[in-house]
Amino acid sequence: DNMKEMEKLYEENPYLTSFSAQVRSCVQGKRGWDIVLDQTAFYPEGGGQPYDLGCLGDTQVLEVHMRDSHVVHTCSGPLAEGSQVSGQIDWPRRFDLMQHHSGEHLVSGLAHQMYGCNNVGFHMGADVVTIDFDLELTEEQIRELELAVNRYIWEDHPAQITYPSREQLAHLEYRSKKEIEGQVRIVTFPGGDTCACCGTHVSSSGQVGLVKLLSCQKFRTGVRIELVCGGRAFSHLSKVWEQNHQVSNLTSAKMLETAPAVARLLGENQALKSRLFAMEQARFSDLAQRHQGAGNVLLFEEELSPDGLRRLTDAVQTACGGLCACFSGQEGAGYKYAIGQPG
């Protein structure tokens, strides 16, 4: 508790990937060795943003959390107190989180400007980011929002980090205006968003690269939006393109005409199912007549669906008046069966 304030290098420079620090304390905890340094570039989980990963010396950093105003690194092994250690951030992961946190600011800030809705929930998952707004948005508004966010990204506005005084804060319009103890850090994308935030962000909006809104579902009194940004958005859209490319090849349709081709296939499939159903009904009726009053009946019939098997058993048991057992399948591959009797 007597330790002087640890330097949070991630707040000063989110692009810093390696640093040197002194080990202040090292204690064995439940999940590993809990290590506190005199300065760190590792971001601790908070404000909706996951913690950084990487290594300190030869040990892996497994988790990073803020405890009693100290950044605690939970590591795979111990480090000697008082020793100097070099730290290395997992940069691809950090930059991905920076792109997503900055993208979330732009989506929330512009949604507030355009439609007056407030961000009431935020989660950065391994696959997608979710944002909860307190107002319902139409499909058209979602498309407008996505276009506005990406246009802002292409304009490449510089981000600004400021630490206003209490007096300046009182006159400043910003999101997350809840009471925060100590110095408040304001992240501003001019004309896009102004928000109190402790996270790591890109230095200009162009580095977000791309924002793709994936879904919008009704949630409580508003909506929940799923989105991906930057490299993750590029990867996601590449996979979507590859899937559509395969559908295009399978349906012999142009890339932008796959939906009508699939709709046509589904229509043809439904017509074939209806025809097969009619033919099965005729066959089942014929079998039922053949076994009229026959008592117990055992039947083997090829390639029936579970529903077809049930319908055949029902038809024959009604006619035969006894126990009816119907099997469908192949030797060695196993059989489906249905057994029934009147009543």
Side-chain angles (χ1 to χ4, degrees):
D1 290 336
N2 298 326
M3 294 182 191
K4 73 180 179 68
E5 185 72 18
M6 169 193 282
E7 263 194 277
K8 297 167 185 171
L9 303 174
Y10 54 84
E11 284 190 352
E12 298 161 30
N13 180 10
Y15 291 86
L16 185 68
T17 59
S18 58
F19 66 100
S20 179
Q22 187 177 37
V23 178
R24 281 185 173 169
S25 67
C26 178
V27 180
Q28 190 163 13
K30 290 179 185 174
R31 299 189 183 183
W33 297 85
D34 291 342
I35 294 167
V36 175
L37 308 171
D38 64 340
Q39 60 175 12
T40 186
F42 280 89
Y43 182 82
E45 187 169 49
Q49 182 173 325
Y51 47 71
D52 285 328
L53 294 177
C55 56
L56 286 174
D58 295 329
T59 68
Q60 292 297 314
V61 176
L62 309 173
E63 295 178 16
V64 190
H65 296 282
M66 187 67 84
R67 290 186 210 146
D68 302 325
S69 78
H70 301 310
V71 178
V72 178
H73 311 74
T74 301
C75 297
S76 59
L79 292 170
E81 286 186 18
S83 66
Q84 282 292 121
V85 67
S86 60
Q88 186 71 38
I89 303 290
D90 177 345
W91 174 247
R93 173 186 164 90
R94 157 70 76 77
F95 189 64
D96 171 71
L97 295 172
M98 283 162 63
Q99 286 184 316
H100 279 86
H101 207 153
S102 303
E104 178 272 324
H105 273 257
L106 299 180
V107 172
S108 298
L110 289 168
H112 182 69
Q113 277 181 39
M114 293 164 73
Y115 311 120
C117 53
N118 297 300
N119 176 328
V120 291
F122 165 48
H123 176 68
M124 293 174 78
D127 297 318
V128 298
V129 167
T130 58
I131 303 175
D132 299 335
F133 289 128
D134 58 0
L135 293 179
E136 283 194 53
L137 298 175
T138 64
E139 276 187 35
E140 190 180 352
Q141 286 175 320
I142 289 293
R143 281 195 294 270
E144 282 176 352
L145 176 60
E146 184 179 68
L147 182 59
V149 169
N150 282 292
R151 190 179 286 125
Y152 186 92
I153 289 169
W154 304 329
E155 289 167 358
D156 199 22
H157 299 266
Q160 298 166 1
I161 309 289
T162 54
Y163 298 87
S165 66
R166 286 282 160 194
E167 190 182 13
Q168 289 169 323
L169 273 179
H171 299 98
L172 188 65
E173 276 299 313
Y174 63 95
R175 290 190 304 111
S176 301
K177 202 163 185 172
K178 53 180 183 268
E179 198 55 43
I180 302 170
E181 283 184 30
Q183 181 66 66
V184 177
R185 181 174 183 259
I186 298 291
V187 178
T188 303
F189 284 95
D193 186 45
T194 301
C195 183
C197 183
C198 61
T200 59
H201 302 87
V202 294
S203 58
S204 68
S205 65
Q207 290 183 38
V208 175
L210 169 71
V211 167
K212 185 66 195 166
L213 306 186
L214 301 177
S215 70
C216 180
Q217 306 292 332
K218 186 166 171 28
F219 184 72
R220 296 189 180 140
T221 58
V223 290
R224 170 165 286 181
I225 290 175
E226 288 188 329
L227 62 124
V228 279
C229 305
R232 219 188 291 182
F234 177 75
S235 174
H236 177 86
L237 293 174
S238 294
K239 287 174 188 167
V240 170
W241 183 90
E242 182 53 43
Q243 287 290 311
N244 196 42
H245 183 58
Q246 290 179 34
V247 173
S248 168
N249 288 339
L250 290 167
T251 57
S252 301
K254 291 179 181 175
M255 285 282 279
L256 298 180
E257 294 170 9
T258 49
V262 172
R264 188 173 64 250
L265 276 178
L266 290 173
E268 289 170 3
N269 189 42
Q270 191 54 49
L272 286 169
K273 279 183 177 177
S274 298
R275 188 167 169 225
L276 179 63
F277 184 86
M279 291 171 75
E280 279 185 343
Q281 287 299 88
R283 166 82 176 151
F284 299 165
S285 179
D286 179 50
L287 285 168
Q289 282 178 348
R290 277 194 228 169
H291 294 90
Q292 189 72 37
N296 294 341
V297 173
L298 173 64
L299 287 176
F300 285 83
E301 190 77 3
E302 286 184 12
E303 296 182 5
L304 289 183
S305 67
D307 177 64
L309 194 58
R310 183 190 57 76
R311 286 186 286 118
L312 172 59
T313 308
D314 193 44
V316 175
Q317 67 155 19
T318 305
C320 73
L323 191 68
C324 174
C326 297
F327 288 77
S328 181
Q330 294 171 311
E331 194 76 44
Y335 287 86
K336 299 187 285 284
Y337 66 89
I339 303 175
Q341 67 187 113

